[in-house]
Amino acid sequence: MNTDFVPVTLDLHDDYMQFFQKTSRRAADYTFTNLWGWAEHYGLTLSFRKDLCWIRQSRPFSCFWAPVGNWEQADWENDAELCRGLSLTRVPDELALLLRERLGEERVDFEPTRGQWEYLYSREELASLSGNKFHKKKNLVNQYRKLYGMDYRTLDVKENPGGLEDVLQLQEEWCKWRDCGNSPSLQAESDVIFRVVGNWARLPGLTGGALYAEDKMVAFTIGEPLDATSLVLHFEKVQPDYKGVYQAINNAFAQHVPERFTVLNREQDMDEEGLRQAKETYNPIGFLQKGIVRIAASAD
């Protein structure tokens, strides 16, 4: 699989989405926003085939991601590359099971990667914060509201024309606070945020919201729909000096998301213990599980 791969560019958005929308289990990793945003960091390229779009990574090491497209219709059994053997990363469980059915369990080895599992939450629960399991969260939201008010604004160019500039300013301040210059991973994420926000109008589907205190942005969230009922949150940053601001932006965004989105996908924890603990305190209703699939060469 070393031919006809092309760089991930904005003009490929519509072509890619034709494959993504046919994917039966859509993970946050595979949104066009995520691929294009991280394309330079991971050296991502795409190859459009009959039923599938293949994704190749070249940095910091070479590997293939799971392809997107019509998994059920794809001719896995006669795929030339799979016949020679191949390893795939970030593979949703549903695709791993399908490959085992099509190629045989003896050829397909699946290794779960817990750090890549995407956290799924009930939008209604995060919006209401009702019940004992959210008691501490709700108290912090109430404290934030009492101290600073609840000035929530949609990240919409028409309704909030300066909002995107405010996002970039807050992100720059956040990076100084977290010393991104000495953290390659945080600096990479910051670069992606600037890249995505700077091209907001060219990435259809992006949505977001922000909290302001005394007309200054103190938190923002950016996401996009995954399918008809789930929405992924790609980025969420706050000014940490404001008590309860983390909980407040999480709650406010969930309240303003259209009700048709019943599930909020808050992406993975990358095996970072602090991040894992924080995500678990919001009581996920499930996970989009992923892993590494190793396909042995065909005996034919």
Side-chain angles (χ1 to χ4, degrees), residues 42 90 114-117 268-272 275-276:
Y42 286 115
R90 303 175 186 247
R114 175 63 177 81
Q116 289 288 344
W117 290 9
Q268 55 267 74
D269 61 40
M270 304 297 290
D271 284 325
E272 295 181 17
L275 185 57
R276 178 169 296 179

Side-chain angles (χ1 to χ4, degrees), residues 155-207:
L155 290 179
D156 182 277
V157 176
K158 293 181 179 179
E159 296 182 13
N160 184 12
L164 298 182
E165 293 181 7
D166 292 340
V167 166
L168 298 181
Q169 182 176 343
L170 175 53
Q171 176 59 30
E172 190 171 351
E173 294 173 356
W174 186 90
C175 241
K176 291 178 181 178
W177 169 61
R178 292 297 302 270
D179 192 19
C180 288
N182 289 314
S183 172
S185 61
L186 292 182
Q187 186 60 58
E189 183 194 38
S190 184
D191 292 343
V192 172
I193 291 175
F194 269 78
R195 179 176 168 89
V196 169
V197 174
N199 290 273
W200 187 280
R202 301 185 66 186
L203 292 165
L206 282 182
T207 186

Side-chain angles (χ1 to χ4, degrees), residues 134-150:
F134 290 109
H135 180 69
K136 292 182 179 179
K137 304 290 186 189
K138 194 160 191 174
N139 278 346
L140 285 166
V141 172
N142 289 336
Q143 290 179 53
Y144 176 89
R145 181 182 288 107
K146 183 177 180 180
L147 289 169
Y148 315 110
M150 193 61 79

